[in-house]
Coordinates of all heavy atoms in Angstrom, one line a residue:
M1 N -123.8 292.6 0.9 CA -124.3 292.4 2.3 C -123.3 291.6 3.1 O -122.9 290.5 2.6 CB -125.6 291.6 2.2 CG -126.8 292.4 1.8 SD -128.3 291.6 1.7 CE -128.3 290.3 2.9
P2 N -122.9 292.1 4.2 CA -121.9 291.3 5.0 C -122.4 290.0 5.5 O -121.7 289.0 5.6 CB -121.6 292.2 6.2 CG -122.0 293.6 5.8 CD -123.1 293.4 4.8
G3 N -123.7 289.9 5.8 CA -124.2 288.6 6.3 C -124.3 287.5 5.2 O -124.1 286.3 5.5
A4 N -124.4 287.9 3.9 CA -124.5 286.9 2.9 C -123.1 286.3 2.6 O -122.9 285.2 2.2 CB -125.0 287.5 1.6
E5 N -122.0 287.1 2.9 CA -120.7 286.6 2.6 C -120.1 285.7 3.7 O -119.1 285.1 3.6 CB -119.8 287.8 2.4 CG -120.1 288.6 1.2 CD -119.2 289.8 1.0 OE1 -118.3 290.0 1.9 OE2 -119.5 290.6 0.2
A6 N -120.8 285.7 4.8 CA -120.3 284.9 6.0 C -120.2 283.4 5.7 O -119.3 282.7 6.2 CB -121.2 285.1 7.2
G7 N -121.1 282.9 4.9 CA -121.1 281.4 4.6 C -120.2 281.0 3.5 O -119.9 279.9 3.2
Q8 N -119.6 282.0 2.7 CA -118.8 281.7 1.6 C -117.3 281.7 2.0 O -116.9 282.4 2.8 CB -118.9 282.8 0.5 CG -120.4 282.8 -0.1 CD -120.5 283.9 -1.1 OE1 -119.6 284.7 -1.3 NE2 -121.6 284.0 -1.8
P9 N -116.5 280.7 1.4 CA -115.1 280.7 1.8 C -114.4 281.9 1.2 O -114.7 282.5 0.2 CB -114.6 279.4 1.1 CG -115.6 279.1 0.0 CD -116.9 279.7 0.5
S10 N -113.3 282.3 1.9 CA -112.5 283.4 1.4 C -111.7 283.0 0.2 O -111.5 281.8 0.0 CB -111.6 283.9 2.5 OG -110.6 283.0 2.8
A11 N -111.1 284.0 -0.4 CA -110.2 283.6 -1.6 C -109.0 282.8 -1.2 O -108.6 281.9 -1.9 CB -109.7 284.9 -2.2
A12 N -108.5 283.0 0.0 CA -107.4 282.2 0.5 C -107.8 280.8 0.8 O -107.0 279.9 0.5 CB -106.8 282.8 1.8
E13 N -109.0 280.6 1.3 CA -109.5 279.2 1.5 C -109.7 278.5 0.2 O -109.5 277.3 0.1 CB -110.7 279.2 2.3 CG -110.5 279.7 3.8 CD -111.9 279.8 4.5 OE1 -112.9 280.0 3.9 OE2 -111.8 279.8 5.7
E14 N -110.1 279.2 -0.8 CA -110.4 278.5 -2.1 C -109.1 278.1 -2.8 O -109.1 277.0 -3.4 CB -111.2 279.5 -3.0 CG -112.6 279.7 -2.6 CD -113.3 280.6 -3.6 OE1 -112.8 280.9 -4.7 OE2 -114.4 281.1 -3.3
T15 N -108.1 278.8 -2.6 CA -106.8 278.5 -3.3 C -106.0 277.5 -2.5 O -105.1 276.9 -3.0 CB -106.0 279.7 -3.6 OG1 -105.7 280.4 -2.4 CG2 -106.7 280.6 -4.5
T16 N -106.3 277.3 -1.2 CA -105.5 276.4 -0.4 C -106.0 275.0 -0.7 O -107.2 274.6 -0.6 CB -105.8 276.7 1.1 OG1 -105.4 278.0 1.4 CG2 -105.0 275.7 2.0
K17 N -105.0 274.1 -1.0 CA -105.3 272.7 -1.3 C -104.8 271.9 -0.2 O -103.9 272.3 0.6 CB -104.7 272.3 -2.6 CG -105.3 272.9 -3.8 CD -104.8 272.3 -5.1 CE -105.5 272.8 -6.3 NZ -105.0 272.1 -7.5
R18 N -105.4 270.7 0.0 CA -105.0 269.8 1.0 C -103.6 269.2 0.7 O -103.2 269.1 -0.5 CB -106.0 268.7 1.3 CG -106.2 267.8 0.1 CD -107.4 266.9 0.4 NE -107.7 266.2 -0.8 CZ -107.6 264.9 -1.0 NH1 -107.1 264.2 0.0 NH2 -107.9 264.3 -2.1
P19 N -102.8 268.9 1.6 CA -101.5 268.3 1.3 C -101.6 266.9 0.7 O -102.5 266.2 1.0 CB -100.8 268.3 2.7 CG -101.9 268.2 3.7 CD -103.0 269.0 3.1
C20 N -100.5 266.5 0.0 CA -100.5 265.2 -0.6 C -100.3 264.2 0.6 O -99.4 264.3 1.4 CB -99.3 265.1 -1.5 SG -99.1 263.5 -2.3
I21 N -101.1 263.2 0.6 CA -101.0 262.1 1.6 C -100.6 260.8 0.9 O -100.8 259.7 1.5 CB -102.3 262.0 2.4 CG1 -103.5 261.7 1.4 CG2 -102.6 263.2 3.2 CD1 -104.8 261.3 2.1
C22 N -100.1 260.8 -0.3 CA -99.7 259.6 -1.0 C -98.4 259.0 -0.3 O -97.7 259.7 0.3 CB -99.5 259.9 -2.5 SG -100.9 260.5 -3.3
V23 N -98.2 257.7 -0.6 CA -97.0 257.1 0.0 C -95.7 257.8 -0.5 O -94.8 258.1 0.3 CB -97.0 255.6 -0.4 CG1 -95.7 255.0 0.0 CG2 -98.1 254.9 0.2
I24 N -95.7 258.1 -1.8 CA -94.6 258.9 -2.3 C -95.2 260.3 -2.6 O -96.0 260.5 -3.5 CB -94.1 258.3 -3.6 CG1 -93.4 257.0 -3.3 CG2 -93.1 259.2 -4.3 CD1 -92.8 256.2 -4.5
A25 N -94.7 261.3 -1.8 CA -95.3 262.6 -1.9 C -95.0 263.3 -3.2 O -93.9 263.3 -3.7 CB -94.7 263.5 -0.8
H26 N -96.1 263.8 -3.8 CA -96.0 264.5 -5.1 C -95.7 265.9 -4.9 O -96.0 266.5 -3.9 CB -97.3 264.3 -5.9 CG -97.6 262.9 -6.2 ND1 -98.5 262.2 -5.4 CD2 -97.2 262.1 -7.1 CE1 -98.6 260.9 -5.9 NE2 -97.8 260.8 -6.9
V27 N -95.1 266.5 -5.9 CA -94.8 268.0 -5.9 C -96.1 268.8 -5.9 O -97.1 268.4 -6.6 CB -93.9 268.4 -7.0 CG1 -92.6 267.8 -6.9 CG2 -94.5 268.1 -8.4
Q28 N -96.2 269.8 -5.2 CA -97.4 270.6 -5.1 C -97.2 272.0 -5.6 O -98.2 272.7 -5.8 CB -97.9 270.7 -3.6 CG -98.2 269.4 -3.0 CD -99.3 268.6 -3.7 OE1 -100.4 269.2 -3.9 NE2 -99.1 267.4 -4.0
N29 N -96.0 272.5 -5.8 CA -95.8 273.8 -6.3 C -94.5 273.9 -7.2 O -93.8 272.9 -7.3 CB -95.7 274.8 -5.2 CG -94.7 274.5 -4.2 OD1 -93.6 274.1 -4.5 ND2 -95.0 274.7 -2.9
A30 N -94.2 275.0 -7.7 CA -93.1 275.2 -8.6 C -91.7 274.9 -7.9 O -90.8 274.4 -8.5 CB -93.1 276.5 -9.3
E31 N -91.6 275.4 -6.7 CA -90.4 275.2 -5.9 C -90.1 273.7 -5.7 O -89.0 273.3 -5.9 CB -90.5 276.0 -4.6 CG -89.3 275.9 -3.7 CD -89.4 276.6 -2.4 OE1 -90.4 277.4 -2.3 OE2 -88.6 276.3 -1.5
E32 N -91.1 273.0 -5.3 CA -90.9 271.5 -5.1 C -90.6 270.8 -6.4 O -89.8 269.9 -6.4 CB -92.2 270.9 -4.4 CG -92.4 271.4 -3.0 CD -93.7 270.8 -2.4 OE1 -94.4 270.0 -3.1 OE2 -94.0 271.1 -1.2
R33 N -91.2 271.3 -7.5 CA -91.0 270.7 -8.8 C -89.5 270.9 -9.2 O -88.8 270.0 -9.7 CB -91.9 271.2 -9.9 CG -91.7 270.7 -11.2 CD -92.7 271.1 -12.2 NE -94.0 270.6 -11.9 CZ -94.5 269.3 -12.1 NH1 -93.7 268.5 -12.7 NH2 -95.7 268.9 -11.7
A34 N -89.0 272.1 -9.0 CA -87.6 272.4 -9.3 C -86.6 271.6 -8.5 O -85.6 271.1 -9.0 CB -87.3 273.9 -9.1
H35 N -87.0 271.4 -7.2 CA -86.1 270.6 -6.3 C -86.1 269.1 -6.8 O -85.1 268.5 -6.8 CB -86.6 270.7 -4.9 CG -85.8 270.0 -3.9 ND1 -86.0 268.7 -3.5 CD2 -84.7 270.4 -3.2 CE1 -85.1 268.4 -2.6 NE2 -84.2 269.4 -2.4
T36 N -87.3 268.6 -7.1 CA -87.4 267.2 -7.6 C -86.7 267.0 -8.9 O -86.0 266.0 -9.1 CB -88.9 266.8 -7.6 OG1 -89.4 267.0 -6.4 CG2 -89.0 265.3 -8.0
K37 N -86.8 268.0 -9.8 CA -86.1 267.9 -11.1 C -84.6 267.9 -10.9 O -83.9 267.2 -11.5 CB -86.5 269.0 -12.0 CG -87.9 268.8 -12.6 CD -88.2 269.9 -13.6 CE -89.5 269.7 -14.3 NZ -89.8 270.8 -15.3
A38 N -84.1 268.7 -9.9 CA -82.6 268.7 -9.6 C -82.2 267.4 -9.0 O -81.1 266.8 -9.4 CB -82.3 269.8 -8.6
A39 N -83.1 266.8 -8.2 CA -82.8 265.5 -7.6 C -82.8 264.4 -8.7 O -81.9 263.5 -8.7 CB -83.8 265.1 -6.6
L40 N -83.7 264.5 -9.7 CA -83.7 263.6 -10.8 C -82.5 263.7 -11.7 O -81.8 262.7 -12.0 CB -85.0 263.8 -11.7 CG -85.1 263.0 -12.9 CD1 -85.1 261.5 -12.6 CD2 -86.3 263.4 -13.7
D41 N -82.0 264.9 -12.0 CA -80.8 265.1 -12.7 C -79.6 264.6 -12.0 O -78.7 263.9 -12.6 CB -80.6 266.6 -13.0 CG -81.6 267.2 -13.9 OD1 -82.3 266.5 -14.7 OD2 -81.8 268.5 -13.9
N42 N -79.5 264.7 -10.7 CA -78.4 264.2 -9.9 C -78.5 262.7 -9.9 O -77.4 262.0 -10.0 CB -78.5 264.7 -8.5 CG -77.3 264.2 -7.6 OD1 -76.2 264.3 -8.1 ND2 -77.6 263.7 -6.5
A43 N -79.7 262.1 -9.8 CA -79.8 260.6 -9.8 C -79.4 260.0 -11.2 O -78.7 259.0 -11.2 CB -81.2 260.2 -9.5
V44 N -79.7 260.7 -12.2 CA -79.3 260.2 -13.6 C -77.8 260.3 -13.7 O -77.1 259.4 -14.2 CB -80.0 261.0 -14.7 CG1 -79.4 260.7 -16.0 CG2 -81.5 260.7 -14.7
A45 N -77.2 261.5 -13.2 CA -75.8 261.7 -13.3 C -75.0 260.7 -12.5 O -73.9 260.3 -12.9 CB -75.4 263.1 -12.9
T46 N -75.5 260.2 -11.4 CA -74.8 259.2 -10.5 C -75.3 257.8 -10.7 O -74.9 256.9 -10.0 CB -75.0 259.6 -9.1 OG1 -76.4 259.6 -8.7 CG2 -74.4 261.0 -8.8
N47 N -76.1 257.6 -11.7 CA -76.6 256.2 -12.1 C -77.3 255.6 -10.9 O -77.2 254.4 -10.6 CB -75.5 255.3 -12.5 CG -74.9 255.7 -13.9 OD1 -75.7 256.2 -14.7 ND2 -73.6 255.6 -14.1
D48 N -78.1 256.4 -10.2 CA -78.9 255.9 -9.0 C -80.3 255.5 -9.5 O -81.2 256.4 -9.6 CB -79.0 256.9 -7.9 CG -79.6 256.4 -6.6 OD1 -80.2 255.3 -6.7 OD2 -79.5 257.1 -5.6
A49 N -80.5 254.3 -9.9 CA -81.8 253.9 -10.5 C -83.0 254.0 -9.5 O -84.1 254.4 -9.9 CB -81.7 252.4 -10.9
H50 N -82.8 253.8 -8.2 CA -83.9 253.9 -7.3 C -84.3 255.3 -7.1 O -85.5 255.7 -7.1 CB -83.5 253.3 -5.9 CG -83.3 251.8 -5.9 ND1 -82.1 251.2 -6.0 CD2 -84.2 250.8 -5.9 CE1 -82.3 249.9 -6.1 NE2 -83.5 249.7 -6.0
A51 N -83.3 256.2 -7.1 CA -83.7 257.7 -7.0 C -84.4 258.2 -8.2 O -85.2 259.0 -8.1 CB -82.4 258.5 -6.7
V52 N -84.0 257.7 -9.4 CA -84.6 258.0 -10.6 C -86.1 257.6 -10.6 O -87.0 258.4 -10.9 CB -83.9 257.4 -11.9 CG1 -84.8 257.6 -13.1 CG2 -82.6 258.0 -12.1
L53 N -86.3 256.4 -10.1 CA -87.7 255.9 -10.0 C -88.5 256.8 -9.0 O -89.7 257.2 -9.4 CB -87.7 254.5 -9.5 CG -89.1 253.8 -9.3 CD1 -89.9 253.7 -10.6 CD2 -88.9 252.5 -8.6
V54 N -88.0 257.1 -7.9 CA -88.8 257.9 -6.9 C -89.0 259.3 -7.5 O -90.2 259.8 -7.4 CB -88.0 257.9 -5.6 CG1 -88.6 259.0 -4.6 CG2 -88.0 256.6 -4.9
A55 N -88.0 259.9 -8.1 CA -88.2 261.3 -8.6 C -89.3 261.3 -9.7 O -90.1 262.1 -9.8 CB -86.9 261.8 -9.1
C56 N -89.2 260.3 -10.6 CA -90.2 260.2 -11.6 C -91.6 260.0 -11.1 O -92.6 260.6 -11.6 CB -89.9 259.0 -12.6 SG -88.5 259.4 -13.7
M57 N -91.7 259.1 -10.1 CA -93.1 258.9 -9.4 C -93.6 260.2 -8.8 O -94.7 260.5 -8.8 CB -93.0 257.8 -8.4 CG -92.8 256.4 -9.1 SD -92.6 255.1 -7.9 CE -94.3 255.0 -7.3
Q58 N -92.7 261.0 -8.2 CA -93.1 262.3 -7.6 C -93.6 263.2 -8.7 O -94.5 264.0 -8.4 CB -91.9 262.9 -6.8 CG -91.6 262.2 -5.5 CD -90.4 262.9 -4.9 OE1 -89.4 263.1 -5.5 NE2 -90.6 263.2 -3.6
L59 N -93.0 263.2 -9.8 CA -93.3 264.2 -10.9 C -94.5 263.8 -11.7 O -95.2 264.6 -12.2 CB -92.1 264.4 -11.8 CG -90.9 265.1 -11.1 CD1 -89.7 265.1 -12.1 CD2 -91.3 266.6 -10.9
M60 N -94.7 262.5 -12.0 CA -95.6 262.1 -13.0 C -96.9 261.4 -12.5 O -97.9 261.5 -13.2 CB -94.9 261.1 -13.9 CG -93.8 261.7 -14.7 SD -93.3 260.6 -16.0 CE -91.6 260.7 -15.9
Q61 N -97.0 260.9 -11.4 CA -98.2 260.2 -11.0 C -99.3 261.2 -10.6 O -99.1 262.2 -10.1 CB -97.9 259.3 -9.7 CG -96.9 258.2 -10.0 CD -97.5 257.2 -11.0 OE1 -98.6 256.8 -10.9 NE2 -96.7 256.8 -11.9
P62 N -100.5 260.8 -10.9 CA -101.6 261.7 -10.6 C -101.7 261.7 -9.0 O -101.5 260.7 -8.3 CB -102.9 261.0 -11.2 CG -102.5 259.6 -11.4 CD -101.0 259.6 -11.6
C63 N -102.1 262.9 -8.5 CA -102.1 263.1 -7.1 C -103.5 263.6 -6.8 O -103.9 264.6 -7.3 CB -101.1 264.0 -6.6 SG -101.2 264.4 -4.9
P64 N -104.3 263.0 -5.9 CA -105.6 263.5 -5.5 C -105.6 264.9 -4.9 O -106.5 265.7 -5.2 CB -106.1 262.5 -4.5 CG -105.2 261.4 -4.4 CD -103.9 261.8 -5.2
A65 N -104.6 265.2 -4.2 CA -104.5 266.6 -3.6 C -104.2 267.6 -4.7 O -104.7 268.7 -4.6 CB -103.4 266.6 -2.5
R66 N -103.3 267.3 -5.6 CA -102.8 268.3 -6.6 C -103.8 268.4 -7.7 O -104.1 269.5 -8.3 CB -101.5 267.9 -7.1 CG -100.9 268.8 -8.1 CD -99.6 268.3 -8.7 NE -99.9 267.0 -9.4 CZ -98.9 266.1 -9.5 NH1 -97.7 266.2 -9.1 NH2 -99.2 264.9 -10.1
D67 N -104.4 267.3 -8.1 CA -105.2 267.2 -9.4 C -106.7 267.3 -9.1 O -107.5 267.3 -10.1 CB -104.9 266.0 -10.1 CG -103.4 265.9 -10.5 OD1 -102.8 266.9 -10.7 OD2 -102.9 264.8 -10.6
E68 N -107.1 267.5 -7.9 CA -108.6 267.5 -7.7 C -109.1 268.9 -8.1 O -108.5 269.9 -7.9 CB -108.9 267.3 -6.2 CG -108.6 268.4 -5.3 CD -108.9 268.1 -3.8 OE1 -109.3 267.0 -3.5 OE2 -108.6 268.9 -3.0
P69 N -110.3 268.9 -8.6 CA -110.9 270.2 -9.0 C -111.3 271.0 -7.8 O -111.7 270.4 -6.8 CB -112.1 269.8 -9.8 CG -112.5 268.5 -9.4 CD -111.2 267.8 -9.0
V70 N -111.2 272.3 -7.9 CA -111.6 273.2 -6.8 C -113.1 273.3 -6.8 O -113.6 273.7 -7.8 CB -110.9 274.5 -6.8 CG1 -111.4 275.5 -5.7 CG2 -109.4 274.4 -6.8
T71 N -113.7 272.9 -5.7 CA -115.2 273.0 -5.6 C -115.5 274.2 -4.7 O -114.8 274.6 -3.8 CB -115.8 271.8 -5.1 OG1 -115.3 271.5 -3.8 CG2 -115.5 270.6 -6.0
R72 N -116.6 274.8 -5.0 CA -117.1 276.0 -4.2 C -118.4 275.6 -3.5 O -119.2 274.9 -3.9 CB -117.3 277.2 -5.1 CG -116.0 277.6 -5.7 CD -116.2 278.8 -6.6 NE -115.0 279.0 -7.3 CZ -114.7 280.2 -7.8 NH1 -115.5 281.2 -7.7 NH2 -113.5 280.3 -8.4

């Protein structure tokens, strides 16, 4: 029934998550994770302790936007 489906979110809406609003933005997808890992490797290679800290926080901290369960 078309009328019954009007109140349900579409598949695109269900998979769309809200953006990270944390002070240090966490990675949200594989592309961002690869970019952050490359930044971490560069920071380690150049002995940049502050960049290592930031990259680790981006990769490891729990994020409410990334880790929240999808509710229907």
Side-chain angles (χ1 to χ4, degrees):
M1 283 177 37
E5 295 176 6
Q8 296 178 353
S10 68
E13 291 173 338
E14 286 183 15
T15 58
T16 303
K17 291 188 175 185
R18 62 189 172 111
C20 177
I21 57 169
C22 299
V23 173
I24 295 180
H26 299 100
V27 296
Q28 299 296 312
N29 56 39
E31 182 181 345
E32 291 178 0
R33 180 172 295 281
H35 185 268
T36 304
K37 284 184 178 181
L40 176 60
D41 292 341
N42 183 47
V44 169
T46 59
N47 293 324
D48 187 348
H50 292 100
V52 169
L53 177 65
V54 170
C56 287
M57 291 178 71
Q58 287 178 308
L59 290 169
M60 293 193 226
Q61 294 297 317
C63 176
R66 181 185 61 207
D67 301 332
E68 72 181 2
V70 177
T71 58
R72 296 179 188 204

